[in-house]
Amino acid sequence: MSQWRLILRPRTHGAAIGCNASTREHDTAKEGVVSDEDQSVSQTGETARRPPTPKGRDTRTRLLTAATSLFAERGYAGVRITDITEAAGLSGGAFYRYFKDRRDLTLVLLRDLTDEAFDFVRVPWDQTDPMESVLRSTQLYFKFYESHRALFGVLVELGQTDPEVTELWAASRRAFYARIAHALRRGIEADRIRLDVDVDVAAEMMGSMTEFYAFQRFVLPDQVVKDVSHEEAARTLAAIWTSGIIRRT
């Protein structure tokens, strides 16, 4: 189990989406969120350069891999650039060739994470057996979440204080909810889903239930939720989902 630590802080006005960079830096610095090594990207908003050569791509990948492993052990706040370069066996100069700072590297990881998650959990809707569709997609989601639990932890950690990560996380959730709502509408058209269900609200409830269970199960170290197989967890969740929305004949 990861030793990742959840750091909860109340939002300040500087953490709101749409605030200017100088205000955000001032407020988050007071909270201990933006360190000196993170200042440059907050001011410029530039993203990491993609190297054109195989050697450069390998170096960049080593840095990303090392950062992911360290985030799993310490969380974002506990990892410095020097920790990343030491773990990757590279110099500080190599780091700054590809990333402006720690936040820049992390944004690359989180964008890739949310893109890959959406594609990985893509399951065709089977209107003849809605429960099977829900079961398969939930199993895939749990599999992906566990494999990438370190970065999901960082997504939640930074999503509370970094406006860009907040919006990245929100966009990811909106996309998942829209996919679920689309499947439910198809189910209504096929006379399989109850007509009295608000599909948008149902999609948000179903998606939130799945995401928070996965967060507790795979990220939090407290082991509050029962340790069961992915299959059992997915089957139980699918049964709860479908029992509430399936139209009975």
Side-chain angles (χ1 to χ4, degrees):
M1 177 67 68
S2 166
Q3 295 302 307
W4 183 86
R5 301 181 300 280
L6 177 63
I7 302 173
L8 291 172
R9 296 187 179 93
R11 289 188 186 276
T12 65
H13 67 277
I17 295 174
C19 65
N20 62 55
S22 60
T23 301
R24 181 171 71 250
E25 289 162 15
H26 175 71
D27 287 343
T28 54
K30 289 193 295 183
E31 291 291 328
V33 177
V34 177
S35 65
D36 290 340
E37 66 182 9
D38 290 330
Q39 292 282 344
S40 61
V41 74
S42 297
Q43 295 166 353
T44 65
E46 294 182 17
T47 56
R49 296 180 293 277
R50 296 186 179 276
T53 66
K55 181 179 179 181
R57 289 191 291 271
D58 176 70
T59 300
R60 184 174 181 270
T61 298
R62 286 167 61 186
L63 291 165
L64 292 169
T65 301
T68 301
S69 297
L70 290 169
F71 291 154
E73 297 172 4
R74 312 175 192 177
Y76 177 82
V79 176
R80 302 168 301 172
I81 288 176
T82 53
D83 298 327
I84 296 171
T85 54
E86 287 176 8
L90 296 167
S91 67
F95 181 95
Y96 290 107
R97 189 172 301 120
Y98 304 106
F99 305 102
K100 298 193 73 66
D101 55 25
R102 178 184 58 167
R103 179 178 177 274
D104 194 28
L105 175 149
T106 305
L107 285 172
V108 171
L109 289 171
L110 296 182
R111 289 190 189 102
D112 288 347
L113 173 75
T114 53
D115 288 346
E116 290 172 16
F118 191 75
D119 290 336
F120 189 84
V121 189
R122 190 183 299 275
V123 173
W125 176 259
D126 184 353
Q127 65 183 28
T128 65
D129 192 352
M131 183 168 177
E132 181 62 23
S133 298
V134 172
L135 177 63
R136 289 175 57 205
S137 62
T138 305
Q139 287 175 329
L140 287 174
Y141 184 79
F142 288 161
K143 179 180 179 181
F144 187 87
Y145 206 109
E146 183 176 34
S147 298
H148 299 80
R149 59 181 180 267
L151 293 181
F152 277 112
V154 173
L155 182 66
V156 175
E157 182 180 355
L158 291 185
Q160 300 165 78
T161 55
D162 185 305
E164 192 166 354
V165 178
T166 299
E167 179 53 33
L168 179 67
W169 187 18
S172 175
R173 297 200 312 277
R174 282 193 292 265
F176 271 108
Y177 298 161
R179 176 184 284 176
I180 296 170
H182 177 69
L184 293 178
R185 290 188 178 93
R186 291 184 60 190
I188 289 175
E189 293 170 0
D191 202 28
R192 296 289 292 166
I193 302 297
R194 288 167 39 194
L195 295 175
D196 61 335
V197 171
D198 184 320
V199 294
D200 293 316
V201 173
E204 292 166 1
M205 295 292 185
M206 294 160 72
S208 298
M209 185 189 306
T210 305
E211 181 182 25
F212 187 60
Y213 172 83
F215 176 69
Q216 289 190 92
R217 175 71 186 282
F218 303 122
V219 177
L220 294 182
D222 52 28
Q223 300 181 341
V224 168
V225 297
K226 188 176 181 180
D227 185 8
V228 298
S229 67
H230 291 181
E231 291 71 21
E232 182 178 349
R235 190 167 296 281
T236 301
L237 190 56
I240 294 171
W241 277 25
T242 54
S243 66
I245 62 173
I246 293 296
R247 185 172 184 176
R248 305 301 177 185
T249 56

